[in-house]
Amino acid sequence: STRFGLPGLASENSYSKTPTRVTKFVQLGMKQVSGSSENGMGYIVQLSDGRFIVVDAGFAYSSGDGGNSGRFIVDTMKKLQGNNNKPVIAAFIITHIHTDHAGGFMGLANACANQVVIEKLIYNQPSSSQMNAVSNMSGRKDWIPSAIKKLTNAGSLKSVVKAHPGQVFHFADAK
């Protein structure tokens, strides 16, 4: 039906909710990186359709026992979904490129690029000139682009969205 002369778009804005699943919001248990007093920030949301939203992912790290931040993120999602299938990330959101927020994304790209599907990466990196103006940021300008390249080459990253203030995203039952 139409209202105010606009077509009805209800069919385009609906989804099938899986009644046996509930949306879960989990804070990642971050490891503290040597030489830092910070643990990093990272959250995983499991949507009712089984896909995930990852918001930041903490530090990139590797340990002597073969563990690393990418493996930790993948293992956490597999535990939440209850099986060993390749996790599907509806959106991986990087709020900013400090090591304790974006490092886990790089760890995922370096160690587990072919073990996940990322439908959308959502971030907005400052320009090179803006990053060069801040002394500790100039070396970070290639972090996310190099991780994007690794994930794209592995066939795991489907799209990149440059985030802007006021944008609203819908993923299954999350807004």
Side-chain angles (χ1 to χ4, degrees):
S1 70
T2 62
R3 185 172 177 184
F4 306 112
L6 299 173
L9 298 176
S11 63
E12 294 176 20
N13 291 308
S14 64
Y15 62 93
S16 297
K17 195 172 189 176
T18 307
T20 58
R21 293 194 180 176
V22 296
T23 300
K24 299 173 190 168
F25 186 87
V26 178
Q27 183 171 3
L28 286 167
M30 299 296 178
K31 288 189 178 184
Q32 191 169 13
V33 173
S34 178
S36 173
S37 62
E38 300 177 21
N39 290 331
M41 292 294 287
Y43 297 92
I44 293 178
V45 178
Q46 186 179 28
L47 302 167
S48 64
D49 67 2
R51 295 178 302 157
F52 297 93
I53 296 173
V54 179
V55 180
D56 293 335
F59 286 106
Y61 67 84
S62 294
S63 60
D65 62 1
N68 63 60
S69 53
R71 166 74 18 234
F72 179 71
I73 294 163
V74 171
D75 288 348
T76 300
M77 288 186 289
K78 285 183 176 183
K79 284 178 189 170
L80 287 169
Q81 68 188 14
N83 59 48
N84 208 25
N85 294 339
K86 185 184 284 192
V88 176
I89 302 170
F92 199 118
I93 301 166
I94 299 174
T95 60
H96 59 288
I97 60 168
H98 286 167
T99 56
D100 61 326
H101 292 260
F105 179 73
M106 294 175 298
L108 185 71
N110 290 332
C112 304
N114 63 350
Q115 297 174 32
V116 296
V117 173
I118 302 173
E119 294 177 340
K120 283 185 178 43
L121 168 65
I122 301 172
Y123 86 114
N124 189 344
Q125 181 167 309
S127 69
S128 291
S129 61
Q130 290 171 317
M131 292 181 75
N132 287 335
V134 179
S135 63
N136 69 341
M137 294 293 280
S138 62
R140 300 179 191 176
K141 63 186 169 194
D142 295 325
W143 282 3
I144 303 302
S146 86
I148 288 171
K149 185 176 182 178
K150 286 178 184 175
L151 288 160
T152 301
N153 288 343
S156 297
L157 179 61
K158 305 306 177 192
S159 69
V160 178
V161 177
K162 185 175 181 177
H164 297 283
Q167 277 182 300
V168 176
F169 298 94
H170 296 263
F171 303 99
D173 54 342
K175 176 180 174 184

